[in-house]
Amino acid sequence: MTSNDEYVLQLLREKGYVSAEQLEAASQAMREENETTLDVLVASGTVSEDDVLGTIADTFGIKYVCIDPAAIEPEVAKQIEPEVARKYGVAPVMADADSVTVVLSDPMGYDAVDSLRYVLHGRDVQAVLAPAEEVKAVMDKLYPTGADEITTRNDDGFGGDESAGDEDAPVIRLCSLLLSNAIKMKASDIHLEPMEKEFRVRYRIDGALRKMDSPPKRLQGAILSRIKIMSKIKISEKRIPQDGRIQVNVGGRDLDLRVSTVPTNHGESIVMRILDKSNLSLGLPQLGFLSDDQNKFERFIHLSDGVVLVTGPTGSGKSTTLYAALGQINLPDRKIITVEDPVEYQMSGINQVQVNRDVGLDFAAALRSILRQAPNIVMIGEIRDDETADIAMEAALTGHLVFSTLHTNDAPSAITRLTDMGVKPFLVASAVRACLAQRLVRAICVNCKEEYFPTERDLKMLGSIAKVLPDHMYVGKGCPKCNGGYKGRKGIFEIFEVDDTIQRLIFDHAPSTILRQRAREMGMRTLREDGMLKVASGMTSLREVLQATMGDAD
């Protein structure tokens, strides 16, 4: 009768409709007659269908109604395509410009309402319950035999005159397959790219783009429209970039997909960034820190005030590092507030603010407001302008610990980037405690790792660093468990500490080259040096580190 009989039986037992003895007797009859326990209880008259549906309706706050098929206007059938109605086991009974009311007979199928909101362009969907016979009667009236030949509406984005059953259902399945395959392959991005003669699909796996089997070009418009529906993006708008979000659960894992559309010559290009909430459980060691750098970074994130910056290009793992840091210091006696654009992961115990520039809530405005909330720790998604930078520095000087990111090539350059924004050097010197630069490199698959002896060309590129490396290194030869010899990614880091000497240099407007030179003298390990230590340990390959640190001359 329902998709979760065990839960229904538990509710009926708690409400007093059935006793333990009656449940046991029905269970025995079920084994003899090959029926469910709930079916036996209803067939024997122990409980009625009204009892079952009424109990579930009360539990979920859904109306339980009697539906007269004759009273339903046939025009309402146009609200939901026949195959969609049958897929979700619902029938429309009432509609207006903003909402649709549907009737269903399985109270445990209420989750289908959320899926319908995607199909119906984000319109509000209300559900009511009714006996199965009444729902079937409504379905038979609204969608008689042959009703599947209703053509797809042109304004739904699937744009065509094929029957809904011929076109839409395969597109829905294909989009689901694109998402599920990407997640299974641990892709970080899905790229849907309209080309002149093909519709290209690529996954970014461990930082490298990998071309997948392309869907037929004729399905390009339908697939892009389906993704836009799922993302709650305007389907009719194809002239400007748009952003949206999809939330899915795959194999018990909650995933968020950040969706971005950009118009191109041959159609809209869509990129979906997969945000795996399991990454929130990553600790600092899992990010790739060596023990000494980890101890140093942990010291900074446990300070009571100051600014700690994480720098690097887009896609270098800055947000993951900050979330890992916040997770480590997220304690009951501390109030943590973040300002993000967008909020990538929902973190328990942390107050997260979403930037909304349409209503004037940018980073600076949000930061001014949250400081009145008396937080201990503030995380700013990115310092993009002088106003946000000034407020962050002042917050640090008034007893707050502030985390944020900057787009710079190395750690010392974060200082000059702030002063170039217009922040006074004395504020930077007094507020900033440390800057962490990072890159991501692919990790060698442990299943197919093998020794590798560098060539003369490799040694020449390494320069003086080659003298401190072992004579052999490692590469992955490739196996069914990895992607071309690599599996997963790790960080390489450069930690720049602002001590008294560095403070005086900042006061004197010293350029980043001087700051970097002084930091090296104090023992700062560069990105390339950190990477080479990880090459020596067998964590990653020489090629990966060289590619990630092309601009590192040290």
Side-chain angles (χ1 to χ4, degrees):
M1 178 178 291
T2 77
S3 57
N4 194 336
D5 281 3
E6 290 184 4
Y7 180 67
V8 175
L9 292 172
Q10 179 184 344
L11 288 176
L12 293 173
R13 176 77 175 85
E14 292 173 355
K15 296 288 186 180
Y17 284 105
V18 295
S19 64
E21 293 76 15
Q22 289 172 321
L23 284 175
E24 179 60 24
S27 178
Q28 294 293 332
M30 174 197 71
R31 285 193 288 269
E32 294 171 4
E33 301 178 15
N34 198 28
E35 295 180 349
T36 68
T37 302
L38 187 57
D39 289 336
V40 172
L41 288 171
V42 173
S44 65
T46 305
V47 293
S48 66
E49 186 176 6
D50 284 342
D51 294 333
V52 175
L53 295 181
T55 298
I56 302 301
D58 290 340
T59 301
F60 287 96
I62 310 170
K63 289 184 179 180
Y64 177 47
V65 299
C66 291
I67 300 292
D68 180 6
I72 299 176
E73 296 293 335
E75 194 73 12
V76 79
K78 296 180 180 179
Q79 301 298 322
I80 302 178
E81 301 295 346
E83 82 288 346
V84 175
R86 294 194 178 100
K87 174 181 178 180
Y88 295 114
V90 303
V93 293
M94 190 167 55
D96 57 31
D98 299 318
S99 65
V100 179
T101 300
V102 298
V103 61
L104 61 159
S105 61
D106 181 0
M108 306 309 295
Y110 188 64
D111 288 343
V113 174
D114 291 331
S115 300
L116 277 174
R117 291 192 177 102
Y118 290 126
V119 178
L120 299 179
H121 301 239
R123 293 171 68 186
D124 186 31
V125 179
Q126 302 294 328
V128 296
L129 299 182
E133 291 80 8
E134 294 182 7
V135 175
K136 183 179 183 304
V138 173
M139 295 282 286
D140 290 342
K141 176 184 178 180
L142 297 181
Y143 307 116
T145 303
D148 284 356
E149 296 304 317
I150 297 176
T151 57
T152 304
R153 296 172 305 195
N154 288 332
D155 64 351
D156 69 358
F158 288 94
D161 294 329
E162 295 95 336
S163 68
D166 289 341
E167 185 70 13
D168 292 4
V171 167
I172 292 173
R173 289 194 297 269
L174 181 54
C175 289
S176 298
L177 188 63
L178 287 173
L179 296 180
S180 61
N181 283 346
I183 292 165
K184 289 177 183 177
M185 298 176 70
K186 300 186 182 300
S188 60
D189 305 289
I190 304 172
H191 295 251
L192 306 178
E193 302 166 315
M195 302 285 111
E196 182 179 2
K197 296 182 179 179
E198 70 168 329
F199 181 45
R200 186 169 67 181
V201 175
R202 294 192 291 175
Y203 295 163
R204 189 180 298 278
I205 302 172
D206 294 335
L209 282 171
R210 181 173 172 182
K211 190 174 185 294
M212 312 307 294
D213 292 336
S214 299
K217 179 71 173 177
R218 65 182 179 82
L219 295 181
Q220 172 180 305
I223 292 172
L224 295 179
S225 294
R226 171 63 181 169
I227 297 298
K228 291 172 73 175
I229 288 173
M230 296 173 68
S231 312
K232 299 182 180 179
I233 291 175
K234 291 182 180 179
I235 297 179
S236 59
E237 181 57 77
K238 300 180 181 180
R239 301 164 299 172
I240 60 174
Q242 297 186 80
D243 296 303
R245 195 166 196 154
I246 302 173
Q247 294 182 321
V248 295
N249 185 286
V250 179
R253 295 160 56 202
D254 291 324
L255 302 170
D256 283 346
L257 281 70
R258 281 171 50 188
V259 181
S260 172
T261 73
V262 173
T264 67
N265 287 342
H266 304 292
E268 288 180 285
S269 173
I270 291 184
V271 175
M272 292 176 278
R273 183 180 178 191
I274 302 172
L275 304 175
D276 188 348
K277 295 182 179 180
S278 64
N279 287 338
L280 292 179
S281 61
L282 291 178
L284 297 180
Q286 286 74 40
L287 298 181
F289 278 102
L290 296 177
S291 59
D292 57 340
D293 273 353
Q294 181 179 329
N295 292 336
K296 189 181 295 184
F297 188 62
E298 285 181 344
R299 175 164 57 86
F300 295 134
I301 67 176
H302 283 93
L303 293 174
S304 59
D305 57 37
V307 175
V308 177
L309 297 171
V310 180
T311 75
T314 300
S316 60
K318 299 187 298 295
S319 295
T320 300
T321 298
L322 284 180
Y323 279 119
L326 291 180
Q328 186 158 334
I329 60 178
N330 183 15
L331 302 174
D333 62 342
R334 297 175 182 175
K335 179 164 185 174
I336 303 176
I337 305 181
T338 72
V339 184
E340 305 172 63
D341 183 23
V343 174
E344 294 191 2
Y345 299 103
Q346 300 288 340
M347 295 191 72
S348 176
I350 293 180
N351 302 277
Q352 296 173 271
V353 178
Q354 169 72 55
V355 167
N356 186 349
R357 291 181 178 81
D358 292 339
V359 296
L361 187 65
D362 56 15
F363 278 107
L367 187 52
R368 281 193 298 268
S369 298
I370 68 174
L371 290 177
R372 293 193 287 270
Q373 296 280 313
N376 302 103
I377 300 165
V378 175
M379 194 271 273
I380 309 167
E382 182 183 351
I383 295 179
R384 300 180 179 178
D385 53 65
D386 59 340
E387 186 179 9
T388 304
D390 277 328
I391 298 172
M393 300 301 128
E394 292 171 2
L397 294 176
T398 54
H400 302 86
L401 180 60
V402 180
F403 295 99
S404 191
T405 69
L406 279 175
H407 288 278
T408 62
N409 290 329
D410 60 18
S413 296
I415 301 299
T416 52
R417 177 78 178 97
L418 290 172
T419 56
D420 288 345
M421 283 184 179
V423 183
K424 294 178 175 58
F426 79 88
L427 279 178
V428 177
S430 302
V432 177
R433 299 288 182 264
C435 305
L436 171 75
Q438 69 177 71
R439 300 288 190 276
L440 290 177
V441 294
R442 291 184 292 176
I444 297 173
C445 174
V446 297
N447 190 61
C448 61
K449 181 189 293 187
E450 63 181 13
E451 288 187 354
Y452 159 76
F453 293 89
T455 65
E456 289 295 327
R457 182 174 179 273
D458 293 334
L459 295 174
K460 184 177 180 180
M461 293 183 66
L462 289 174
S464 60
I465 298 177
K467 298 177 182 178
V468 298
L469 291 176
D471 60 349
H472 68 274
M473 301 171 191
Y474 296 91
V475 294
K477 62 181 180 181
C479 69
K481 295 184 178 181
C482 67
N483 296 296
Y486 297 98
K487 187 174 183 180
R489 290 192 288 177
K490 296 290 185 180
I492 57 175
F493 305 97
E494 177 178 281
I495 300 181
F496 174 72
E497 181 176 1
V498 179
D499 65 355
D500 294 341
T501 303
I502 297 295
Q503 281 185 333
R504 288 193 293 270
L505 291 173
I506 297 173
F507 278 127
D508 295 337
H509 299 79
S512 60
T513 53
I514 300 299
L515 296 176
R516 185 175 181 80
Q517 179 183 341
R518 176 54 186 157
R520 294 295 312 281
E521 293 171 356
M522 295 166 52
M524 183 186 79
R525 191 161 55 227
T526 67
L527 284 166
R528 176 164 290 187
E529 289 170 342
D530 189 58
M532 288 305 156
L533 289 177
K534 288 162 184 175
V535 169
S537 69
M539 179 187 294
T540 189
S541 70
L542 177 62
R543 180 174 297 181
E544 281 293 301
V545 172
L546 291 177
Q547 183 175 340
T549 60
M550 283 297 184
D552 192 346
D554 294 321

